[in-house]
Amino acid sequence: MERTLVILKPSAMARNLVGNIITRFEQKGLIIAGMKMMTLTESLLTEHYAHLVDKPFFKSLLASMTALPVIVVCLKGKDAVAVVRAMTGATNSRNAAPGTIRGDFGMSGQENIIHASDSVENAEIELQRFFRADEIFEFTPANLKFLYAPNEA
Ligand code: UDP
Ligand code: MG
């Protein structure tokens, strides 16, 4: 099964959306394989957002992402990367479809509630960036046979 990284950004923390967002992933059938609270540093974020360092909004993004501690989550499931990106919605919350996390909870391009890995390759890199190996757990949920057919799991 695939793994992906979600970050509940300071905008989610400030607006008391943690339970709601985690509930959505739980209800979908994604397995929480790791979860912790941490303060992001500028050096970690510069690595994580390396594709954006030259953008005019980069400094503002750094300030936003360090404004409060965040919650980082490792979610597991079949096609988890694409499933979680679809649940996340478009980058700009104003363009994100209703029913998505950004579409339901935000009005901003920057303050867009969560981060979600955009490819299987990046998910693995990002999980290693934010978690130690012993912070991600290998276990078989008791309800697995009701989440997937035998040929899917
Ligand atoms: N961002 C922004 N303005 C932009 C584009 C991105 O403030 O014009 C912020 C926003 O918080 C976004 C993050 O930078 O989530 C990372 O951008 P990316 O293009 O990777 O979007 P994502 O993968 O988060 O949808
Ligand atoms: Mg991205």
Side-chain angles (χ1 to χ4, degrees):
M1 273 197 273
E2 245 169 61
R3 310 189 305 172
T4 190
L5 174 78
V6 167
I7 303 174
L8 277 60
K9 295 184 176 187
S11 48
M13 308 297 283
R15 295 184 48 222
N16 303 321
L17 293 171
V18 173
N20 198 314
I21 293 164
I22 298 297
T23 296
R24 286 184 178 222
F25 292 130
E26 280 190 315
Q27 288 179 334
K28 178 66 176 166
L30 289 148
I31 297 158
I32 299 171
M35 180 154 70
K36 66 174 178 178
M37 192 157 168
M38 65 190 291
T39 298
L40 301 179
T41 62
E42 292 204 357
S43 69
L44 194 64
L45 285 164
T46 301
E47 202 182 299
H48 182 61
Y49 285 138
H51 59 298
L52 301 173
V53 286
D54 296 328
K55 301 284 186 193
F57 59 81
F58 186 67
K59 263 210 158 343
S60 172
L61 178 60
L62 281 187
S64 162
M65 292 296 290
T66 54
L68 290 175
V70 300
I71 290 173
V72 293
V73 190
C74 173
L75 294 173
K76 209 164 143 179
K78 189 170 173 66
D79 302 326
V81 171
V83 167
V84 170
R85 279 293 278 197
M87 292 175 72
T88 299
T91 302
N92 187 327
S93 307
R94 293 191 299 282
N95 301 330
T100 65
I101 290 165
R102 289 169 172 171
D104 285 354
F105 297 133
M107 279 296 284
S108 168
Q110 176 179 277
E111 303 301 319
N112 59 1
I113 317 295
I114 68 168
H115 165 82
S117 305
D118 65 4
S119 69
V120 175
E121 190 189 1
N122 282 340
E124 286 304 316
I125 293 168
E126 292 177 356
L127 285 167
Q128 283 176 40
R129 181 174 295 140
F130 291 95
F131 284 99
R132 293 196 316 265
D134 67 352
E135 291 174 329
I136 295 178
F137 298 84
E138 281 291 337
F139 60 96
T140 303
N143 62 357
L144 200 63
K145 72 171 184 169
F146 297 100
L147 283 172
Y148 295 105
N151 67 345
E152 288 175 317

